[in-house]
Amino acid sequence: MHEMSLTQSLLDIVRQEMNSHGLTRLLEVKVACGRLSGVVPDAMHMAFTALTQDTDLCGACLNLEPVPLKLCCAECGTQFCPEQDCLAAFAPCPTCGQEIGHRIVSGQELNIEYIEAE
């Protein structure tokens, strides 16, 4: 489960930011999580709970904000969000029907949006 190591890295960053601003109590971390990031949200929530339990971060909330996959058609330049069950490599453009060669505009993110702490 790579979510455990990702969550550990996330918490390392959170701790650094809290220390640099003199904060001692973490309330919430919001993370933008793209559809193609490879993260399983339930696994990341479980890892967050396990890694913060019995620590000074215990009780904090992890808020995973899903980022939909958005593509730019290689043929006509239309930006579109493919259907959930469609792979990025074979997503038909709603305008021209082109299925391959699209550029990914969004959906690969795994970014800390904000940290709320006291």
Side-chain angles (χ1 to χ4, degrees), residues 56-68:
D56 58 333
L57 302 179
C58 187
C61 177
L62 174 63
N63 180 357
L64 292 177
E65 181 71 29
V67 178

Side-chain angles (χ1 to χ4, degrees), residues 19-83:
N19 288 338
S20 70
H21 295 283
L23 303 168
T24 57
R25 183 169 172 250
L26 180 64
L27 302 172
E28 180 181 9
V29 180
K30 182 177 179 183
V31 177
C33 185
R35 185 172 153 205
L36 294 181
S37 68
V39 170
V40 176
D42 287 343
M44 191 159 204
H45 279 289
M46 186 173 65
F48 187 85
T49 300
L51 290 170
T52 58
Q53 186 176 354
D54 298 327
T55 72
D56 58 333
L57 302 179
C58 187
C61 177
L62 174 63
N63 180 357
L64 292 177
E65 181 71 29
V67 178
L69 176 60
K70 188 174 194 179
L71 304 174
C72 180
C73 178
E75 187 69 28
C76 70
T78 297
Q79 290 192 5
F80 65 99
C81 295
E83 296 177 17

